Amino acid sequence: MVVREVRPSVYFVGALDWDRRLFDELIPLPDGTSYNAYLVRGSQKTALIDTVDPSMEKVLVENLQSLGVDEIDYVVSNHAEQDHSGSIPRVLELYPSAKVVTNKRCADLLKDLLQIPEERFSVVEDGESLSLGDKTLQFFLAPWVHWPETMLTYLREDKILFTCDLFGSHLATSDLFAKDEARVYAAAKRYFAEIMMPFRKNIQKYLEKVLELDAKVIAPSHGPIYDNPSFILNAYREWVADEVKNEVVVAYVSMHGSTAEIIRYLVDALVERGVGVKQFNLTKTDLGELASALVDAATLVVGSPTVLAGPHPSMVYAAYLVNMLRPKLRFVAVVGSYGWGGRVVEVLKGLLTNLKAEILEPVIIKGYPKEESFRALDELADEILNKHRELKIA
Ligand code: FEO
C-alpha cells in the first residue's frame, strides 16, 4: 500500500480493502472500504491515530516501516470497534514504549475486546490536549456516534479533525481526497444510513461543535479525506435535520403477483399526484440502497403477502432493520394481500415501534386486487399526498 502525505508530517498509513463485500456480516459493501490510520510526526513525539482491521495489519506495519518509524509514543484510539482498534496489540508489540491514548470508556472496552493491559493506557478527558512538540492533539468526546466511547481528535496547528466513523464512507478508492464528489456523496449517504442514522439526534449536537472548530480537513477512518469539509458538513446537516422530503419509500415482496399489482397501482397513483417514489423489491434489492432512500423520505409503504398467517419473512427482516435504523419517517402504511386470513398488519406494526411515525389506514386485499381495491389504493395515495401537503413538502 502506498503511504501518502495528507499535510506536512501527517501521513495516511491505512489500508484499502477493495474486495470486502460485507461489514459486520450484515452491511453490503459494493465499493469495498478502507481503514484509515494516520501518522502525525511532531518535533518531539509521534502519534498514530487509529489502526486498521486485523486482516490488514501487515499493510499498516509495512507502511510504518516504509516511513522509517522507529518510535511511536502514542496510539490514539478514537473508537474501540475492531476495524480501527484491531491492530493496536500488534503496534504495541512493535513499539513497546507506546501508550494508547483514549477516553476511559474506550479504554475499558479495549481491555475487554483486545485484552490490552491497564498500564499501556493514558486516559484523557473531554477537551484535553496532548503536545507532540510543534503539533498539538486535542480530544473531544462524542459518545454514541456509533458506540458509546467514540471520540474525535483535532490536530490544532494543521486544523485536521480525525473523526473515525463519523463522516466516513465505505469506499475503496485511490483518491486520497474526495475528488469525485458525486460518488463520495452517494457512498457517504449510504454509510450514514447504515451506521449513523440511529444517532441522528446526537450528531446534530456534534455538528455544531465541529463547525466551531473550523477544521480545514476532515479525516475519517473509512473512505476518502475531505479537504473541502463544507461538502460533507452540508450533506450531514441535511441528513440529520428533522425535515423530510416529498418522497415515499416502497418496500415490498410478492409471491404470486397480488402484492406486486397492489404496489404497481399505488406507485403509479403516487407519481400521478406528484409524490416522489423509490421502490424496492426486497428479494432483489441491496438493503443499503433501501437504507439510503430512508434518509430523506416522509413516508414508508411496506407491502407483503401473507405467509403462514404473518408477513413474508423477507419483509420481517427488512422491517426489523428499518426499525433499528430509526429513520425520520413521518408516516407508514401497510398494504398487502391474503388468501384466507392473517395478522400481517399487527405483526408489521409491532416491528416498527421505534419509528415516531403515524400509521395510516392499511389496505389488505383478499386475493388479486379488483375495482374496489384500486379505489382503496387511490384513497391511500390521496391520504399520503394530503399528509405531505400538511407538512408543506408537496
Ligand atoms: Fe468503522 Fe464503528 O467502526
Side-chain angles (χ1 to χ4, degrees):
M1 200 70 55
V2 183
V3 169
R4 282 162 299 167
E5 194 177 61
V6 179
R7 288 290 181 264
S9 300
V10 180
Y11 304 91
F12 172 96
V13 290
L16 297 178
D17 196 342
W18 300 93
D19 299 330
R20 189 161 179 180
R21 285 294 171 268
L22 204 57
F23 196 82
D24 287 346
E25 300 302 324
L26 172 70
I27 297 167
L29 302 179
D31 302 307
T33 190
S34 69
Y35 319 107
N36 305 350
Y38 301 95
L39 188 84
V40 181
R41 274 181 160 156
S43 55
Q44 290 166 16
K45 304 279 185 189
T46 298
L48 176 66
I49 299 182
D50 292 314
T51 66
V52 300
D53 190 85
S55 61
M56 291 280 170
E57 188 179 276
K58 191 167 170 276
V59 175
L60 173 66
V61 171
E62 283 172 5
N63 286 347
L64 294 172
Q65 284 167 349
S66 80
L67 278 173
V69 178
D70 45 24
E71 188 148 2
I72 288 178
D73 301 282
Y74 308 115
V75 183
V76 175
S77 177
N78 282 320
H79 176 28
E81 193 165 10
Q82 290 88 335
D83 53 324
H84 310 293
S85 70
S87 299
I88 292 178
R90 179 70 181 134
V91 172
L92 294 182
E93 199 178 283
L94 289 173
Y95 300 93
S97 57
K99 289 271 187 195
V100 180
V101 176
T102 191
N103 61 84
K104 178 165 183 328
R105 243 176 169 173
C106 190
D108 288 345
L109 269 171
L110 290 173
K111 284 179 220 164
D112 286 339
L113 297 174
L114 302 171
Q115 300 177 1
I116 298 172
E118 174 82 39
E119 64 270 18
R120 298 303 301 262
F121 287 96
S122 172
V123 171
V124 292
E125 304 290 333
D126 185 33
E128 199 173 323
S129 298
L130 179 68
S131 175
L132 306 179
D134 59 347
K135 293 186 188 291
T136 316
L137 299 177
Q138 191 171 11
F139 310 103
F140 297 101
L141 306 195
W144 295 112
V145 175
H146 199 196
W147 281 17
E149 84 304 359
T150 37
M151 179 175 100
L152 313 175
T153 297
Y154 190 47
L155 174 51
R156 246 194 251 148
E157 291 75 7
D158 296 274
K159 288 183 162 285
I160 303 175
L161 185 63
F162 300 96
T163 56
C164 203
D165 278 345
L166 184 61
F167 307 126
S169 59
H170 283 309
L171 179 59
T173 166
S174 58
D175 293 339
L176 180 62
F177 295 102
K179 203 160 67 180
D180 182 348
E181 289 195 342
R183 187 166 185 235
V184 177
Y185 183 93
K189 186 173 187 180
R190 182 188 175 99
Y191 183 94
F192 170 83
E194 294 164 335
I195 314 281
M196 294 293 161
M197 193 153 62
F199 312 106
R200 187 174 66 85
K201 287 286 180 187
N202 290 342
I203 297 170
Q204 282 178 356
K205 220 169 46 195
Y206 301 134
L207 264 188
E208 296 308 314
K209 195 181 263 185
V210 169
L211 288 168
E212 277 168 27
L213 290 174
D214 192 30
K216 299 297 175 220
V217 174
I218 288 183
S221 288
H222 295 290
I225 299 168
Y226 305 98
D227 54 355
N228 168 23
S230 59
F231 158 67
I232 193 67
L233 292 174
N234 288 341
Y236 260 70
R237 221 181 281 179
E238 191 180 320
W239 299 338
V240 301
D242 294 330
E243 287 75 29
V244 287
K245 291 187 178 163
N246 180 26
E247 285 178 10
V248 177
V249 169
V250 175
Y252 79 103
V253 56
S254 184
M255 295 192 302
H256 301 295
S258 297
T259 302
E261 180 59 10
I262 292 167
I263 295 298
R264 185 200 63 73
Y265 189 88
L266 179 63
V267 167
D268 284 357
L270 288 165
V271 173
E272 264 172 23
R273 285 160 177 76
V275 178
V277 178
K278 287 178 179 160
Q279 179 180 322
F280 299 91
N281 180 336
L282 294 175
T283 60
K284 298 179 171 66
T285 195
D286 165 342
L287 286 171
E289 297 284 335
L290 172 66
S292 221
L294 289 168
V295 171
D296 306 310
T299 300
L300 170 68
V301 172
V302 289
S304 176
T306 304
V307 184
L308 297 173
H312 190 284
S314 298
M315 177 53 74
V316 171
Y317 178 80
Y320 182 81
L321 198 62
V322 169
N323 195 53
M324 284 169 73
L325 295 177
R326 297 170 186 258
K328 56 187 173 190
L329 292 161
R330 300 295 181 83
F331 311 102
V332 172
V334 180
V335 300
S337 56
Y338 68 100
W340 51 90
R343 298 176 54 249
V344 166
V345 175
E346 294 89 317
V347 173
L348 288 176
K349 272 190 190 171
L351 285 169
L352 294 170
T353 50
N354 283 345
L355 304 183
K356 293 184 172 63
E358 179 185 342
I359 308 284
L360 305 179
E361 192 61 36
V363 179
I364 303 294
I365 291 160
K366 189 170 193 314
Y368 201 78
K370 38 205 95 62
E371 212 39 54
E372 74 215 39
S373 322
F374 296 129
R375 277 204 304 276
L377 291 168
D378 276 324
E379 281 167 22
L380 176 58
D382 283 337
E383 193 185 7
I384 290 171
L385 175 63
N386 287 335
K387 294 286 182 191
H388 287 199
R389 280 185 176 152
E390 281 167 22
L391 293 179
K392 301 193 187 329
I393 56 173

